[in-house]
Amino acid sequence: MTQQVLTILGSTGSIGESTLDVAARHPDKFRIFALAGHKQVNKLAAQCERFKPCFAVVADAEHAAALEQLLESADCQTEVLYGGQALIEVASASEVTGVMAAIVGAAGLPSALAAAKNGKTIYLANKETLVVSGALFMETARANGAKVLPVDSEHNAVYQVLPQDYSGRLNVHGIQSIILTASGGPFLDTDLSTFDHITPAQAVKHPNWSMGQKISVDSATMMNKGLELIEAHWLFNCPPDKLEVVIHPQSVIHSMVRYLDGSVLAQMGNPDMRTPIAYCLGLPERIESGVGALDFGKLSVLTFREPDLNRFPCLKLAYDAMHAGGGASCVLNAANEEAVAAFLAGKIRFTDIARIVAHCLEQGFSDGLNDIDSLLAQDAQTRAQARQGITALSR
Ligand code: NAD
Ligand code: MG
């Protein structure tokens, strides 16, 4: 394997740190070109000292000055850049072979799209990119020879059990459906009558996975699985009616593909994102990830059940948005991001998240949004509507 030169967007987050953990195990295979860490300058400074990237990117001039000071006192030569254009530059630079897209939210879209335009191998953790701009992103990647490798554990699992020559057409390969597994999050069995009183601290406490705050709340509402349905739709060119969701609280089977002959192929492992990350980074080889072996002696049961759409209205809203197509999933995502942020800030109740998303979807959306400017305009319009709804609810 020739040495990969990596840009890690969102290096200070949960996925970013796991990526650096895997890369550090294979210094011969990976060199870090750039790290982007938004406002987390202390963590980013420590990463720069350790991995010595050429560039580090932060949110704005103020954070750039703070990072420069830290790097100077550590005698670290990394050059500091800031702003959205800098994210695009480090994702596009000619030296870079692979880009880990691990910024959270639609904020990660322009830089991921830049990597696609420049034919990079994209390790895609940022599912919101596909939810907001699936058609545009996949077409841009295809037209520019960029490879899109799914980091999200479910999609990575599907990728691993699809035929190696998968053409993007299920029937050509005798595939009946793609089955995404879901843990069901922390409130799978919580009394529904108490949902109004769920606190942010309870919602971010996922039973199996350790993740960033936004995706943890998404897992608790099951919006995460909804976003993942849309993600799978675009990644695998899978029609909505060929996508299944099954709740599997142990998070050992990460997803499955159902074939016409009755076979179901699954990928299993401990719930640790370093496995799908190492799979993507190592391709075509398998490389060591630091994840412990799955111990069947300690696995007592694997259970499965149907998702309850009354308990998880966000999942239903995502299904509806996927079927509606057009700008619906862009609206779904923007409304959800605003609602989750408001919930985490203590402004609205847990159950209000679905209300805000439904309210925004009811406002309607443009059809055929397929360029970044109109997608970002829809995103901005929806966020304004969501904030109005949040203000009304928090009174
Ligand atoms: P996180 O909150 O831990 O990290 C987010 C990263 O993005 C941080 O580095 C942060 O500094 C940066 N960031 C935040 N806002 C930004 C902005 N406006 N502009 C630029 N950078 C910004 O999140 P995470 O859990 O690592 O998730 C990252 C992405 O990966 C999300 O899209 C999430 O859905 C996806 N994902 C995460 C997991 C997981 O296990 N954590 C699993 C599957 C997919
Ligand atoms: Mg996932």
Side-chain angles (χ1 to χ4, degrees):
M1 174 172 170
T2 51
Q3 196 182 44
Q4 300 290 313
V5 181
L6 304 179
T7 279
I8 303 179
L9 304 169
S11 68
T12 50
S14 168
I15 294 288
E17 289 192 307
S18 292
T19 303
L20 286 172
D21 181 282
V22 173
R25 293 166 194 274
H26 308 277
D28 53 322
K29 292 186 167 70
F30 307 106
R31 178 163 75 77
I32 309 298
F33 175 78
L35 296 173
H38 202 47
K39 297 184 177 174
Q40 293 165 291
V41 289
N42 289 319
K43 219 186 240 186
L44 190 54
Q47 291 179 345
C48 289
E49 278 182 59
R50 179 159 179 217
F51 292 94
K52 307 199 168 15
C54 302
F55 298 100
V57 184
V58 291
D60 49 36
E62 190 190 325
H63 290 89
L67 180 62
E68 269 164 359
Q69 204 166 25
L70 289 168
L71 293 182
E72 205 172 307
S73 54
D75 204 20
C76 175
Q77 306 303 313
T78 298
E79 189 176 329
V80 178
L81 308 172
Y82 64 86
Q85 188 55 35
L87 292 175
I88 289 174
E89 280 161 20
V90 295
S92 312
S94 58
E95 301 91 315
V96 172
T97 57
V99 175
M100 169 57 73
I103 289 173
V104 60
L109 167 58
S111 49
L113 196 60
K117 261 186 207 148
N118 286 279
K120 306 302 184 195
T121 297
I122 304 164
Y123 312 111
L124 189 67
N126 177 259
K127 63 191 84 186
E128 294 91 346
T129 285
L130 282 176
V131 175
V132 175
S133 69
L136 173 67
F137 181 78
M138 293 307 284
E139 173 52 24
T140 305
R142 195 202 55 75
N144 295 287
K147 197 186 256 182
V148 182
L149 298 175
V151 171
D152 208 349
S153 59
E154 295 76 3
H155 307 74
N156 188 271
V158 170
Y159 193 87
Q160 292 197 41
V161 295
L162 280 173
Q164 272 197 353
D165 62 347
Y166 179 62
S167 64
R169 283 185 298 164
L170 301 189
N171 49 1
V172 169
H173 304 276
I175 297 167
Q176 207 162 42
S177 62
I178 289 175
I179 308 170
L180 302 183
T181 53
S183 69
F187 310 126
L188 184 57
D189 296 310
T190 304
D191 182 352
L192 258 180
S193 69
T194 65
F195 267 40
D196 276 347
H197 309 292
I198 287 171
T199 65
Q202 290 169 320
V204 299
K205 211 166 167 299
H206 196 278
N208 307 332
W209 297 93
S210 147
M211 309 184 286
Q213 289 208 319
K214 191 255 175 185
I215 183 176
S216 296
V217 176
D218 285 348
S219 299
T221 60
M222 281 195 81
M223 178 59 93
N224 185 49
K225 210 51 51 182
L227 301 178
E228 290 182 355
L229 282 167
I230 301 168
E231 182 185 12
H233 168 63
W234 291 113
L235 275 175
F236 307 119
N237 195 34
C238 184
D241 63 344
K242 302 279 183 193
L243 284 167
E244 301 178 50
V245 172
V246 64
I247 293 195
H248 164 49
Q250 296 80 17
S251 300
V252 168
I253 294 179
H254 299 309
S255 277
M256 303 180 262
V257 173
R258 192 192 291 282
Y259 288 86
L260 280 179
D261 60 5
S263 300
V264 177
L265 301 192
Q267 185 263 356
M268 304 169 78
N270 286 322
D272 186 322
M273 288 307 292
R274 290 176 300 175
T275 294
I277 290 168
Y279 178 84
C280 289
L281 290 180
L283 267 179
E285 291 171 26
R286 293 270 180 179
I287 61 171
E288 211 267 316
S289 65
V291 178
L294 185 61
D295 183 347
F296 287 93
K298 288 196 181 131
L299 279 182
S300 50
V301 283
L302 298 183
T303 59
F304 305 91
R305 60 174 123 155
E306 296 267 308
D308 173 354
L309 298 182
N310 287 326
R311 176 172 286 268
F312 299 113
C314 285
L315 180 57
K316 166 85 168 68
L317 291 166
Y319 263 118
D320 293 346
M322 175 168 63
H323 281 281
S329 53
C330 175
V331 170
L332 177 90
N333 180 72
N336 182 58
E337 284 192 30
E338 291 296 320
V340 170
F343 168 68
L344 284 169
K347 291 185 191 157
I348 58 171
R349 290 170 300 184
F350 183 75
T351 45
D352 290 334
I353 296 173
R355 282 188 195 104
I356 295 291
V357 175
H359 164 76
C360 290
L361 283 167
E362 282 159 15
Q363 313 291 305
F365 42 83
S366 316
D367 265 337
L369 299 179
N370 213 17
D371 63 273
I372 182 135
D373 291 337
S374 44
L375 286 163
L376 293 179
Q378 176 71 70
D379 175 273
Q381 186 188 334
T382 299
R383 284 175 197 268
Q385 289 164 352
R387 284 196 283 262
Q388 278 177 3
I390 288 162
T391 309
L393 283 173
S394 43
R395 268 196 205 115

